[in-house]
Amino acid sequence: MKFLYKLLKIVILVGVSYVIISPLIGMIVQSVASTEDLYNPMMYVLPSDPSLEKYELVSERLDYLPTIAKNLIYTLSLTLIQLFVCSMVGYGFARFDFKFKKILFALVVIMIVIPAHTIMLPLYMTFKNFDPLGVISLINGESLNLMSSVWPVYILTFFGCGVRSGLYIYIFTQFFRGLPREIEEAALVDGAGVWYTYFRIMLVNAMPAVITVSVFSIVWQFNDLFYSNLFLVDEDIVISKKLASLPGVLANQDKILNIAIQQQYVDAGIIMTLLPVVIIYLVLQKKFIEGAERSGIVG
């Protein structure tokens, strides 16, 4: 019975793994297959004449290295802001009692539940005519138009309303609640203030949650198309936007009109775009799983 149980477990794990990674395997195969392989009915799984030609052309059309470098700088800067803001908010919810605490935490949960598409029009109008409390109009005589820039995304992230910020606040809140209060009490007895205790003691002990949020934030910020399209962020900064326009570029510049062949180039672009995120995940995988388990978001 033990052998049958182990065999069943292996079969289930292999089956689920195949279902998850089979689309990725298909994209890799299609991206290295030649045009002849595309129409070859005998070709199955492994191409008969693999080539990296499509990667070379896609790298040129996406201006890959400069664009990916700008995208990573943009993504990592937003991630650092989210770590700083969301960890402080989560620590406040976990350790301090203040008025309207339950209501404010309920709003955090609502941020997780409500789709961002429901507030896209107010967000667009807010940053198209950006004028907080009428101060900018008082100084310049008119409001600012922040469209076609990254400032709306940075402003939202700084005020804890960025991509998935509600989830990150929840993760930090749950993690800090699980840490023993004796750590802070010992620090206060030794003369440490609230800020010193938070930055030098609590945040260090919350490193699994920090890494979990870092991985989530990097992946979602890197692949975000909603905010970058809503605020008209330059596609030279967001490689996902460049990748979305790749079929049109191939049709206009390279006269590749066949949709099936275009899809091969798009698959190559997707693999190249996913590569940095996959590397980051592989490096942080162990800490990421530990943080996810201790923050209570398993399943």
Side-chain angles (χ1 to χ4, degrees):
M1 291 299 295
K2 288 183 178 179
F3 173 76
L4 291 176
Y5 174 73
K6 289 182 179 179
L7 181 62
L8 179 62
K9 186 165 64 173
I10 292 172
V11 170
I12 292 174
L13 288 174
V14 171
V16 172
S17 300
Y18 176 75
V19 170
I20 293 174
I21 67 174
S22 60
L24 182 61
I25 295 174
M27 285 191 293
I28 295 174
V29 171
Q30 288 296 318
S31 65
V32 298
S34 63
T35 305
E36 290 75 16
D37 287 329
L38 185 63
Y39 297 102
N40 184 2
M42 302 301 294
M43 196 274 285
Y44 182 73
V45 180
L46 296 177
S48 59
D49 186 22
S51 171
L52 297 178
E53 176 187 356
K54 293 176 178 59
Y55 286 90
E56 295 174 2
L57 181 60
V58 169
S59 177
E60 182 180 345
R61 293 293 174 260
L62 292 179
D63 196 16
Y64 181 69
L65 289 179
T67 305
I68 206 74
K70 292 177 185 176
N71 202 164
L72 285 174
I73 293 172
Y74 170 73
T75 299
L76 293 175
S77 61
L78 289 173
T79 297
L80 290 175
I81 296 173
Q82 282 191 317
L83 287 174
F84 179 72
V85 173
C86 296
S87 63
M88 283 199 301
V89 175
Y91 182 67
F93 278 121
R95 285 294 191 258
F96 298 98
D97 292 321
F98 48 88
K99 287 185 178 181
F100 310 115
K101 175 181 176 179
K102 293 183 179 179
I103 296 176
L104 292 174
F105 192 73
L107 293 177
V108 171
V109 176
I110 290 174
M111 286 175 60
I112 302 174
V113 176
I114 294 181
H117 297 79
T118 59
I119 57 173
M120 61 185 300
L121 183 58
L123 285 176
Y124 179 83
M125 296 305 299
T126 297
F127 291 104
K128 182 175 175 55
N129 303 289
F130 188 69
D131 189 15
L133 303 177
V135 175
I136 296 177
S137 295
L138 186 63
I139 298 174
N140 293 337
E142 59 181 1
S143 60
L144 288 178
N145 182 2
L146 297 182
M147 292 295 106
S148 302
S149 72
V150 297
W151 285 111
V153 184
Y154 277 103
I155 292 171
L156 286 173
T157 304
F158 183 78
F159 285 98
C161 302
V163 179
R164 308 288 184 177
S165 288
L167 176 62
Y168 307 149
I169 292 171
Y170 179 82
I171 291 173
F172 277 116
T173 301
Q174 294 299 102
F175 196 93
F176 282 125
R177 283 175 178 171
L179 293 179
R181 289 184 176 271
E182 287 77 8
I183 298 176
E184 295 162 288
E185 292 172 356
L188 292 174
V189 169
D190 290 338
V194 175
W195 290 105
Y196 185 91
T197 302
Y198 167 70
F199 282 109
R200 300 298 298 274
I201 299 174
M202 298 304 292
L203 200 57
V204 173
N205 282 279
M207 197 53 62
V210 170
I211 293 175
T212 301
V213 171
S214 298
V215 173
F216 278 138
S217 180
I218 289 171
V219 171
W220 277 320
Q221 296 283 4
F222 189 82
N223 295 313
D224 173 60
L225 275 176
F226 175 76
Y227 286 103
S228 57
N229 284 329
L230 178 63
F231 300 127
L232 307 176
V233 178
D234 191 351
E235 66 176 17
D236 288 333
I237 298 176
V238 182
I239 196 170
S240 298
K241 292 186 68 175
K242 241 180 184 180
L243 184 60
S245 62
L246 182 61
V249 174
L250 293 172
N252 294 328
Q253 294 189 21
D254 302 290
K255 307 305 178 184
I256 300 174
L257 303 178
N258 189 305
I259 296 177
I261 299 176
Q262 286 182 2
Q263 188 58 48
Q264 287 185 295
Y265 287 94
V266 171
D267 288 341
I270 292 173
I271 299 300
M272 294 172 66
T273 303
L274 286 177
L275 192 58
V277 178
V278 172
I279 293 173
I280 291 172
Y281 175 75
L282 291 176
V283 172
L284 302 177
Q285 179 184 13
K286 184 178 179 181
K287 291 292 185 180
F288 170 74
I289 295 173
E290 178 187 350
E293 290 176 347
R294 294 181 62 182
S295 59
I297 62 170
V298 178

